[in-house]
Amino acid sequence: MTRWRRRLRLHGSCQDRGGLELFYAGTVLIAFLIIGLVVDGGLALNRMSEADYLAQEATRAGAQQIDPGQAITGEALVVDPDAAQAAARAFLRREGVDGDVAVAEDGQSLTVTVHATYQPYFASLIGVGEVPLTGHGAATLLHRPGG
């Protein structure tokens, strides 16, 4: 037996074979999960921003539906509630999203809430399912005839 083998056998260092490989495998797995969660988080934020954008655009489409009867006579500048809701819902339908549209009693403001979801890529590996997201948009008519 060579001198080095005898020394290794006496110190018992041959029993530690493969321990470092498990550490590296665990580290790589954890790093993969963290990177995946960061990617999923960024994509979910992007989807939420898109939902807000769509809600704001639907609100804008609805707020353009001014009631001509009151605007022409100079009584008030208000939205036509039925036309505003129809225009906002038509926009949401064209974009393929679901949402709620509400017009205030006084006809001066309109709000739209968009309901969307995000299906994570990496987080689904650890059991996270579909994530619900909500976007909001609001418009208020500021100009009034004579004011």
Side-chain angles (χ1 to χ4, degrees):
M1 209 183 295
T2 67
R3 185 170 113 183
W4 290 109
R5 285 185 189 235
R6 198 175 319 130
R7 186 175 274 189
L8 287 174
R9 181 179 274 176
L10 289 175
H11 294 340
S13 62
C14 292
Q15 298 171 359
D16 291 337
R17 292 191 130 179
L20 201 54
E21 293 170 4
L22 286 175
F23 172 77
Y24 286 134
T27 303
V28 167
L29 179 64
I30 290 171
F32 176 74
L33 287 174
I34 290 172
I35 290 169
L37 290 175
V38 168
V39 168
D40 274 342
L43 291 174
L45 286 174
N46 187 38
R47 181 75 171 127
M48 190 175 355
S49 175
E50 181 182 338
D52 278 335
Y53 171 76
L54 292 174
Q56 291 168 1
E57 288 300 312
T59 303
R60 186 174 294 122
Q64 292 175 354
Q65 305 305 312
I66 303 296
D67 183 358
Q70 293 184 42
I72 291 173
T73 62
E75 292 176 40
L77 187 60
V78 296
V79 296
D80 178 357
D82 295 331
Q85 288 183 352
R89 285 194 177 107
F91 178 84
L92 294 175
R93 215 175 13 260
R94 274 194 312 272
E95 295 298 323
V97 294
D98 183 34
D100 301 319
V101 181
V103 178
E105 292 282 329
D106 63 359
Q108 292 291 313
S109 62
L110 175 79
T111 59
V112 175
T113 303
V114 170
H115 307 288
T117 58
Y118 171 69
Q119 181 65 44
Y121 296 106
F122 295 98
S124 63
L125 298 174
I126 59 172
V128 176
E130 204 171 65
V131 178
L133 304 172
T134 304
H136 300 282
T140 303
L141 298 177
L142 298 176
H143 177 72
R144 296 181 188 195

